[in-house]
PDB file of all heavy atoms in Angstrom:
ATOM      1  N   ILE A 429      -4.383   5.656   6.853  1.00  0.00           N
ATOM      2  CA  ILE A 429      -3.461   6.570   7.534  1.00  0.00           C
ATOM      3  C   ILE A 429      -2.550   5.816   8.494  1.00  0.00           C
ATOM      4  O   ILE A 429      -1.336   6.054   8.549  1.00  0.00           O
ATOM      5  CB  ILE A 429      -4.256   7.655   8.291  1.00  0.00           C
ATOM      6  CG1 ILE A 429      -5.001   8.558   7.304  1.00  0.00           C
ATOM      7  CG2 ILE A 429      -3.328   8.490   9.175  1.00  0.00           C
ATOM      8  CD1 ILE A 429      -5.919   9.571   7.964  1.00  0.00           C
ATOM      9  N   GLU A 430      -3.114   4.894   9.254  1.00  0.00           N
ATOM     10  CA  GLU A 430      -2.346   4.177  10.272  1.00  0.00           C
ATOM     11  C   GLU A 430      -1.259   3.296   9.671  1.00  0.00           C
ATOM     12  O   GLU A 430      -0.128   3.254  10.171  1.00  0.00           O
ATOM     13  CB  GLU A 430      -3.288   3.337  11.145  1.00  0.00           C
ATOM     14  CG  GLU A 430      -4.141   4.173  12.092  1.00  0.00           C
ATOM     15  CD  GLU A 430      -5.261   3.372  12.729  1.00  0.00           C
ATOM     16  OE1 GLU A 430      -5.474   2.206  12.323  1.00  0.00           O
ATOM     17  OE2 GLU A 430      -5.931   3.921  13.633  1.00  0.00           O
ATOM     18  N   THR A 431      -1.581   2.576   8.588  1.00  0.00           N
ATOM     19  CA  THR A 431      -0.569   1.703   7.997  1.00  0.00           C
ATOM     20  C   THR A 431       0.558   2.513   7.356  1.00  0.00           C
ATOM     21  O   THR A 431       1.725   2.117   7.421  1.00  0.00           O
ATOM     22  CB  THR A 431      -1.195   0.763   6.946  1.00  0.00           C
ATOM     23  OG1 THR A 431      -1.913   1.533   5.966  1.00  0.00           O
ATOM     24  CG2 THR A 431      -2.138  -0.242   7.598  1.00  0.00           C
ATOM     25  N   ALA A 432       0.216   3.668   6.771  1.00  0.00           N
ATOM     26  CA  ALA A 432       1.253   4.538   6.223  1.00  0.00           C
ATOM     27  C   ALA A 432       2.136   5.069   7.342  1.00  0.00           C
ATOM     28  O   ALA A 432       3.369   5.111   7.216  1.00  0.00           O
ATOM     29  CB  ALA A 432       0.616   5.693   5.453  1.00  0.00           C
ATOM     30  N   TYR A 433       1.518   5.453   8.434  1.00  0.00           N
ATOM     31  CA  TYR A 433       2.276   5.956   9.591  1.00  0.00           C
ATOM     32  C   TYR A 433       3.244   4.899  10.105  1.00  0.00           C
ATOM     33  O   TYR A 433       4.428   5.184  10.336  1.00  0.00           O
ATOM     34  CB  TYR A 433       1.311   6.381  10.693  1.00  0.00           C
ATOM     35  CG  TYR A 433       1.995   6.740  11.997  1.00  0.00           C
ATOM     36  CD1 TYR A 433       2.495   8.023  12.203  1.00  0.00           C
ATOM     37  CD2 TYR A 433       2.145   5.802  13.008  1.00  0.00           C
ATOM     38  CE1 TYR A 433       3.135   8.351  13.393  1.00  0.00           C
ATOM     39  CE2 TYR A 433       2.781   6.122  14.195  1.00  0.00           C
ATOM     40  CZ  TYR A 433       3.276   7.398  14.384  1.00  0.00           C
ATOM     41  OH  TYR A 433       3.912   7.715  15.556  1.00  0.00           O
ATOM     42  N   GLN A 434       2.751   3.685  10.290  1.00  0.00           N
ATOM     43  CA  GLN A 434       3.600   2.610  10.818  1.00  0.00           C
ATOM     44  C   GLN A 434       4.791   2.355   9.905  1.00  0.00           C
ATOM     45  O   GLN A 434       5.928   2.177  10.367  1.00  0.00           O
ATOM     46  CB  GLN A 434       2.775   1.323  10.976  1.00  0.00           C
ATOM     47  CG  GLN A 434       1.746   1.369  12.082  1.00  0.00           C
ATOM     48  CD  GLN A 434       2.364   1.220  13.475  1.00  0.00           C
ATOM     49  OE1 GLN A 434       3.544   1.464  13.682  1.00  0.00           O
ATOM     50  NE2 GLN A 434       1.566   0.803  14.430  1.00  0.00           N
ATOM     51  N   TYR A 435       4.543   2.339   8.603  1.00  0.00           N
ATOM     52  CA  TYR A 435       5.636   2.106   7.659  1.00  0.00           C
ATOM     53  C   TYR A 435       6.661   3.235   7.715  1.00  0.00           C
ATOM     54  O   TYR A 435       7.876   2.995   7.771  1.00  0.00           O
ATOM     55  CB  TYR A 435       5.096   1.974   6.232  1.00  0.00           C
ATOM     56  CG  TYR A 435       6.209   1.942   5.208  1.00  0.00           C
ATOM     57  CD1 TYR A 435       6.927   0.769   4.972  1.00  0.00           C
ATOM     58  CD2 TYR A 435       6.582   3.094   4.532  1.00  0.00           C
ATOM     59  CE1 TYR A 435       7.987   0.758   4.069  1.00  0.00           C
ATOM     60  CE2 TYR A 435       7.630   3.081   3.623  1.00  0.00           C
ATOM     61  CZ  TYR A 435       8.322   1.912   3.395  1.00  0.00           C
ATOM     62  OH  TYR A 435       9.373   1.897   2.517  1.00  0.00           O
ATOM     63  N   LEU A 436       6.179   4.465   7.706  1.00  0.00           N
ATOM     64  CA  LEU A 436       7.083   5.606   7.652  1.00  0.00           C
ATOM     65  C   LEU A 436       7.879   5.762   8.937  1.00  0.00           C
ATOM     66  O   LEU A 436       9.052   6.143   8.905  1.00  0.00           O
ATOM     67  CB  LEU A 436       6.292   6.881   7.350  1.00  0.00           C
ATOM     68  CG  LEU A 436       5.717   6.935   5.933  1.00  0.00           C
ATOM     69  CD1 LEU A 436       4.688   8.046   5.807  1.00  0.00           C
ATOM     70  CD2 LEU A 436       6.829   7.131   4.917  1.00  0.00           C
ATOM     71  N   VAL A 437       7.259   5.468  10.069  1.00  0.00           N
ATOM     72  CA  VAL A 437       7.994   5.505  11.339  1.00  0.00           C
ATOM     73  C   VAL A 437       9.131   4.481  11.314  1.00  0.00           C
ATOM     74  O   VAL A 437      10.254   4.763  11.720  1.00  0.00           O
ATOM     75  CB  VAL A 437       7.045   5.239  12.535  1.00  0.00           C
ATOM     76  CG1 VAL A 437       7.845   4.902  13.791  1.00  0.00           C
ATOM     77  CG2 VAL A 437       6.174   6.455  12.797  1.00  0.00           C
TER      78      VAL A 437
END
Side-chain angles (χ1 to χ4, degrees):
I429 294 174
E430 288 168 352
T431 54
Y433 172 85
Q434 290 284 21
Y435 171 80
L436 291 167
V437 165

